[in-house]
Amino acid sequence: MARVALVTGGTRGIGRAIVERLVADGISVAAGYSGNDEAAEALKRETGAMVVKGNVGHIEDCRRAVATIEAELGPIEILVNNAGITRDGVFHRMTPEQWSEVIRVNMDSLFNMTRQVIEGMREREWGRIVNISSINGQKGQIGQTNYSAAKAGMIGFTKALALENAKKGVTVNCIAPGYIDTEMVQAVPEKVLEGIISQIPVGRLGRGDEIADMVAFLAGERAGYVTGTTLSLNGGQYLVG
């Protein structure tokens, strides 16, 4: 019987690439999303993945999503915490709403979603949790104190949860992508994007499938000895001062 995976923020960008790869690997996949019904329907039609709507910042939405998925597909054995938003602004002008919304969706969601599946993983003595952080959670970024704080917190969450669950066969790992060729990045003004790429030693943006390949490994049977780690996939950008 195929393993069951949930990918939050799974209908576009990196999330969609992850869903496509896991489906190709024979996993039964559900993709969570919060607002774009058109993208969700396209994903469902083109990949056969299940789609579930809800806000990962609200714990009741997470409870409903997991219950719906498990009723249709079975127990969730792989969780990819990918959902995230940005509300950029320099800190001395940042509003409480900009701060709290990013923390709620990017950070509180880790508790809201992982809490729904961790007990089942422990009982079955097998589970894979992969958290999608960011290079900006490792090095910081101007205008993103909220986002950087949440993504850095994700790394600490990963390490602690890995320690708690290692003996139960549940691995917890983190991937920190650099700039990936998604709709969000392509919306950056051309000159700004050129400046970003000039700081990436490999000389290009990353691809969603490159992140998905790493997720697929961490979510698989052969990754049982990998836990508590953060993998930086950024084309060497973190090395640049």
Side-chain angles (χ1 to χ4, degrees):
M1 187 174 180
R3 294 204 181 276
V4 176
L6 167 59
V7 180
T8 67
T11 61
R12 295 187 294 167
I14 292 173
R16 174 165 179 141
I18 294 168
V19 169
E20 290 173 347
R21 174 57 195 271
L22 295 181
V23 168
D25 286 351
I27 294 170
S28 297
V29 183
Y33 75 105
S34 62
N36 193 321
D37 294 322
E38 185 177 347
E41 286 304 312
L43 177 76
K44 182 178 180 180
R45 181 175 62 252
E46 294 165 15
T47 68
M50 180 181 179
V51 294
V52 181
K53 190 173 185 178
N55 186 331
V56 292
H58 299 154
I59 195 166
E60 288 302 328
D61 282 12
C62 296
R63 286 182 180 136
R64 283 193 294 270
V66 169
T68 299
I69 294 163
E70 294 194 334
E72 183 166 330
L73 302 179
I76 295 169
E77 299 162 295
I78 300 164
L79 172 63
V80 182
N81 286 308
N82 171 71
I85 62 170
T86 57
R87 296 291 185 267
D88 294 352
V90 291
F91 186 75
H92 62 278
R93 294 176 183 158
M94 185 172 287
T95 67
E97 291 73 25
Q98 284 175 298
W99 175 268
S100 61
E101 189 174 1
V102 167
I103 296 300
R104 184 172 65 250
V105 173
N106 295 19
M107 189 66 201
D108 291 352
S109 61
L110 296 177
F111 176 86
N112 293 345
M113 190 56 71
T114 307
R115 187 65 184 83
Q116 310 310 314
V117 302
I118 191 65
E119 290 187 64
M121 290 180 178
R122 287 172 59 87
E123 289 169 5
R124 293 185 296 273
E125 297 190 340
W126 198 97
R128 298 287 186 264
I129 299 169
V130 183
N131 302 316
I132 308 300
S133 181
S134 167
I135 186 175
N136 293 339
Q138 295 176 304
K139 72 176 188 63
Q141 180 60 275
I142 294 170
Q144 289 195 332
T145 52
N146 48 6
Y147 183 82
S148 295
K151 291 300 186 178
M154 181 179 281
I155 294 172
F157 173 88
T158 296
K159 292 177 180 179
L161 195 64
L163 289 171
E164 290 184 5
N165 292 281
K167 291 183 178 180
K168 287 294 187 178
V170 180
T171 67
V172 190
N173 290 288
C174 192
I175 295 175
Y179 287 86
I180 307 301
D181 191 5
T182 62
E183 291 178 20
M184 183 172 69
V185 171
Q186 287 295 348
V188 172
E190 185 176 353
K191 287 187 177 181
V192 175
L193 191 56
E194 288 174 357
I196 290 171
I197 293 173
S198 73
Q199 293 296 309
I200 302 173
V202 301
R204 64 173 176 86
L205 298 172
R207 302 191 311 271
D209 65 281
E210 292 174 312
I211 307 302
D213 285 345
M214 188 57 65
V215 172
F217 171 72
L218 293 174
E221 303 292 339
R222 294 183 296 171
Y225 202 59
V226 183
T227 196
T229 191
T230 297
L231 302 175
S232 299
L233 279 69
N234 56 47
Q237 186 180 2
Y238 189 54
L239 302 173
V240 178

